[in-house]
Amino acid sequence: MEDLTTITGRIIPGLLVNQLKALIKSLNETIRPAPHLKLGGNKAELIYRLTDFIVKYHQIGDQVVIRQIRQCVRALNQGEVATIITPVHPGGNGSSYRIPGSMLTSKPNPGQPSSSHGTSSNNKNSYYPQSQPPHQYPPQQQPQHSSLAGGSSQMIKQVFKSSPFYRDIQTLCPPKLCVEAKDRTLSTPLHFTMQPMVATQMKRDPDFQLMVFCGWADSSPQHPVLMEFPSVCEIKVNGRVLEANLRGMKNKPGTVSPANITRLCRLENADYNKVEFIYANSTKRYYASTHVVKKISVQTIVAEIEHGKFLSKEKMLQMIEDRNKDDDIMATS
C-alpha cells in the first residue's frame, strides 16, 4: 500500500479533476466524523485541498484515518470508486459512473505518439496519466502583504492592510482556513521549515522577524483585510505557548498587531518549526498564516515623513486665501 508521501506528492497531483472529486466524495463518505471536504474548484484547488487534509492527519498521527485514506486511494485506482462525470448530451445533469482502474492511466489521443513508457497497470507510475506530468504542489508564495489561500471553493487572495511599523517580506506557510468553532476547540497547523536565505538574513539583521497573520476570511475582497484574531485563541510554537496580546481593542478589528513568534522558533537553516493556531468558540471564519516581516523603527518612520512632500508656509497661506474667495458672498458694513 502506498505511503502518504507518495500519495500527496505523486498520485494525487496526477489524477484528473473527475478522479479528484471522486476521491474527495469517497473520503467524505468513509471517514467519521465526516471531513466535509468541498467538491468545488479547479484542479489546483482540489489537489491543495486533498493534500492539506492528508498532511494534517499525518501530523496528528491518527492511524485510523490514515488507513482509511490509503484504502480510498487504492479503491480509486482499482476502479471501485464511482468517478463524477458530467455528460455531454444536452440537458444532462452530473452523474456518477464507475470506471475501470485501467482508465486511471492515460491513453494516447489520435494523432499523438504513444508514450515509450507504456500504460501498463503494472507500471509503478500508473496512478497518474503518463502523458501529463504530475502537478506540483503549490509553491510557497512571496507576496507583498498578500498570499493565496486554499481550502475553499475559490482561490482567495488574502491581502492584509499595510502597516507603517513592519513590511511583509515572505510567506512561510500559506493561509489556512480556520472554520467556525462553535462550542468546540480547533487547531490549525501553520508549520514551516526555515529557508537558507531567511535564516541568513535573520542572523544578519535583528529587524527581520517571524509573525503569524490572521484575518477574517469572509471580508470583502475589494478591501484589505484587517488584522484580527478570534476572541479565544492561543499560539503554540514547538510545544511552547506564545505569551502575547491577541485581542486588540474590543470590536475594533485592525487594532492588534501580528503575533511575533521569533523568540520561540528554531532559526537555523532547514530547521522545522511546528506552529499550532488553537482557537475556540468562534462564530466567524479566519485565515491564518506565517510570514517573514521586517520591523520598521519609529526613527525611520519619522525620517521618511520629514523627507516627504510638504507645503511651504507661503503656499499654504495662498491656498487658504484662494478658498476664502467667493464672488457670491460680499461682506458689507
Side-chain angles (χ1 to χ4, degrees):
M1 189 175 293
E2 301 287 353
D3 59 26
L4 295 185
T5 302
T6 303
I7 293 174
T8 57
R10 180 167 61 84
I11 297 176
I12 288 179
L15 296 176
L16 302 176
V17 172
N18 293 333
Q19 296 164 359
L20 291 168
K21 291 182 178 181
L23 181 56
I24 291 177
K25 187 172 182 292
S26 177
L27 292 173
N28 287 337
E29 295 174 349
T30 303
I31 298 175
R32 290 293 178 270
H36 299 295
L37 297 173
K38 295 182 179 180
L39 289 172
N42 57 32
K43 182 175 181 179
E45 294 164 357
L46 295 171
I47 291 173
Y48 186 96
R49 193 173 304 143
L50 279 167
T51 305
D52 184 65
F53 171 75
I54 294 174
V55 170
K56 175 182 176 181
Y57 277 95
H58 176 61
Q59 293 167 345
I60 294 174
D62 192 328
Q63 296 301 319
V64 175
V65 174
I66 291 173
R67 191 182 312 112
Q68 291 172 333
I69 291 171
R70 288 172 173 163
Q71 290 172 350
C72 290
V73 173
R74 181 178 59 179
L76 179 66
N77 183 57
Q78 294 176 350
E80 299 172 0
V81 174
T83 300
I84 301 173
I85 300 176
T86 303
V88 297
H89 56 78
N93 297 322
S95 306
S96 295
Y97 297 91
R98 188 174 305 279
I99 61 172
S102 60
M103 289 184 64
L104 293 179
T105 58
S106 65
K107 295 183 180 181
N109 295 327
Q112 292 183 349
S114 60
S115 171
S116 60
H117 298 288
T119 57
S120 170
S121 59
N122 295 327
N123 191 318
K124 66 178 181 179
N125 295 330
S126 61
Y127 287 99
Y128 57 85
Q130 302 297 327
S131 60
Q132 177 183 350
H135 178 84
Q136 297 300 321
Y137 188 77
Q140 291 180 335
Q141 307 294 325
Q142 299 186 15
Q144 291 297 323
H145 241 70
S146 66
S147 46
L148 293 179
S152 62
S153 59
Q154 295 181 347
M155 295 296 285
I156 300 176
K157 190 175 184 180
Q158 192 81 336
V159 181
F160 288 92
K161 184 176 177 61
S162 60
S163 170
F165 299 104
Y166 59 86
R167 185 171 70 253
D168 188 9
I169 303 299
Q170 180 180 347
T171 301
L172 294 177
C173 176
K176 300 291 184 67
L177 178 62
C178 305
V179 299
E180 299 91 340
K182 297 179 181 178
D183 302 323
R184 57 177 178 170
T185 300
L186 298 178
S187 176
T188 301
L190 303 175
H191 315 324
F192 66 92
T193 301
M194 285 296 294
Q195 302 174 9
M197 293 184 63
V198 174
T200 302
Q201 193 66 52
M202 295 194 67
K203 288 181 180 179
R204 293 178 179 176
D205 191 345
D207 287 338
F208 282 83
Q209 300 175 349
L210 304 177
M211 293 190 176
V212 173
F213 285 21
C214 186
W216 188 30
D218 299 316
S219 58
S220 174
Q222 284 77 27
H223 299 89
V225 178
L226 299 177
M227 202 67 61
E228 179 184 7
F229 290 85
S231 57
V232 180
C233 68
E234 70 175 11
I235 298 175
K236 284 187 177 181
V237 183
N238 298 320
R240 294 184 291 174
V241 178
L242 176 70
E243 296 181 2
N245 177 20
L246 303 178
R247 297 291 295 272
M249 298 178 64
K250 187 176 181 179
N251 298 325
K252 289 189 177 295
T255 58
V256 64
S257 300
N260 189 344
I261 61 173
T262 309
R263 61 186 178 85
L264 299 181
C265 291
R266 305 183 182 100
L267 304 180
E268 295 296 327
N269 178 28
D271 278 348
Y272 180 76
N273 287 279
K274 185 177 181 181
V275 182
E276 298 174 88
F277 183 66
I278 305 169
Y279 61 103
N281 301 328
S282 173
T283 57
K284 298 196 299 185
R285 303 191 311 163
Y286 295 85
Y287 276 111
S289 53
T290 52
H291 298 250
V292 180
V293 306
K294 184 174 183 180
K295 182 181 176 181
I296 301 176
S297 64
V298 176
Q299 293 79 4
T300 302
I301 297 174
V302 172
E304 290 179 354
I305 295 174
E306 290 178 346
H307 291 84
K309 294 181 179 181
F310 64 92
L311 297 175
S312 63
K313 177 181 177 181
E314 293 76 13
K315 182 66 175 177
M316 181 59 70
L317 291 174
Q318 183 63 43
M319 290 177 61
I320 295 174
E321 184 179 353
D322 293 341
R323 290 175 182 175
N324 290 335
K325 290 179 179 179
D326 194 329
D327 296 335
D328 297 332
I329 301 176
M330 296 183 63
T332 60
S333 59

